[in-house]
Amino acid sequence: MSITTLADKINDANAKGRTALIPFLPGGYPNKESFWKEILELDANGADIIEIGMPFSDPVADGPVVEAASMKCLADGVNLKWIIEGLAKVRSQINAGIVLMGYYNPVLQYGLEKFAKDANGAGINGLIIADLPYEEGLEFRDLLAANEVALVPLVGLNTEPERMKLYADGGNGFCYFVSVLGTTGDRDSLPEEIKVGLKHAKDIFDIPVALGFGLKHPSQLEQLEGLVDAAVFGSALIRHIDDGKSCAEFMKVWT
């Protein structure tokens, strides 16, 4: 495992002439029995990196679809320990990079040093924390890096270039660019100002730039050619599964 694994996965996809694909599923969704089967299916059908959500009771960045899915997982008894222990058992079968995404509280409760060590042991390549500001995350970023786990920088439409430069200095994995000023959830269109923000990110970061929040179809990326190295999609995938359809079928649209 290497701190550059996530960037390497995206760069490899780009070298083949395509945008890297990063599907998101909350840990334990649609249920604990089939969750790892869904992850293996995403991996076998074109996922370059897979984001696993860490269900949390106060998901301030999640839209209604992801929030409802996360609440169901919590009700089913899913927690961070269950995700890490389960991943450790199947990681050798997964070729994609693995990122956990969520909020700081569950990680803090787990124990920062224990999390960094266990994440490395389970083959987790990166972590996205939606509510951890740059200034409060530096020490944890270094702790994760010492365990070959990247703390992925999260920026958005309201992140000024000067602040992006702070995140870029020592940033690992990829830059996660949030497409909207709002919560997760697929949209029919993306805001026009996104091109300016993405161009700033591409100019400032020396790691790949991934676009998330709002994506439901690859056609949305046509207007952003050259500005997006990887696409993240969650709500559309969750709805697809809720309709009784397979992850393989969903990924066909993107590959």
Side-chain angles (χ1 to χ4, degrees):
M1 200 162 92
S2 165
I3 194 76
T4 67
T5 295
L6 298 174
D8 292 344
K9 293 287 184 185
I10 296 174
N11 289 333
D12 287 349
N14 295 166
K16 295 173 182 172
R18 62 178 181 83
T19 302
L21 303 177
I22 309 180
F24 165 93
L25 267 188
Y29 198 79
N31 53 65
K32 292 168 77 173
E33 289 70 32
S34 63
F35 173 69
W36 296 112
K37 172 182 168 292
E38 303 287 359
I39 295 298
L40 293 172
E41 194 166 310
L42 289 169
D43 180 60
N45 287 276
D48 298 286
I49 295 168
I50 299 172
E51 272 187 31
I52 298 175
M54 301 179 286
F56 180 51
S57 58
D58 189 19
V60 294
D62 292 350
V65 174
V66 174
E67 180 178 1
S70 296
M71 291 301 111
K72 180 185 182 303
C73 296
L74 283 175
D76 288 345
V78 173
N79 56 31
L80 191 48
K81 182 173 182 288
W82 183 87
I83 294 172
I84 291 175
E85 290 182 352
L87 179 61
K89 295 176 183 175
V90 301
R91 186 63 177 100
S92 63
Q93 303 173 52
I94 302 172
N95 183 56
I98 295 290
V99 174
L100 297 191
M101 182 172 187
Y103 301 87
Y104 192 49
N105 187 275
V107 179
L108 188 63
Q109 295 300 319
Y110 191 92
L112 300 183
E113 290 191 13
K114 177 173 171 53
F115 176 86
K117 180 181 178 182
D118 289 355
N120 176 286
I124 293 165
N125 305 111
L127 179 68
I128 304 170
I129 299 292
D131 58 353
L132 183 61
Y134 168 80
E135 290 80 359
E136 298 178 29
L138 287 176
E139 189 173 340
F140 188 39
R141 183 190 69 180
D142 293 342
L143 175 61
L144 289 170
N147 287 274
E148 304 293 341
V149 178
L151 182 61
V152 174
L154 195 71
V155 301
L157 294 173
N158 58 349
T159 306
E160 296 294 332
E162 289 305 314
R163 190 157 181 81
M164 284 191 191
K165 291 176 183 175
L166 291 177
Y167 283 102
D169 184 16
N172 293 311
F174 58 89
C175 163
Y176 191 125
F177 192 95
V178 177
S179 70
V180 297
L181 294 175
T183 58
T184 61
D186 49 10
R187 272 82 169 173
D188 291 327
S189 62
L190 299 174
E192 274 298 314
E193 60 266 35
I194 195 173
K195 293 180 183 176
V196 176
L198 283 170
K199 187 172 189 315
H200 285 317
K202 290 288 288 180
D203 289 342
I204 291 169
F205 285 90
D206 60 3
I207 50 179
V209 175
L211 181 67
F213 285 44
L215 295 180
K216 67 176 184 180
H217 193 275
S219 62
Q220 292 170 289
L221 301 177
E222 292 174 359
Q223 61 177 317
L224 304 174
E225 187 173 356
L227 296 175
V228 175
D229 301 309
V232 185
F233 37 83
S235 296
L237 173 59
I238 291 169
R239 268 205 289 266
H240 182 88
I241 292 173
D242 288 346
D243 288 340
K245 301 173 184 175
S246 71
C247 287
E249 187 179 355
F250 182 88
M251 293 297 288
K252 283 181 182 175
V253 177
W254 290 85
T255 54

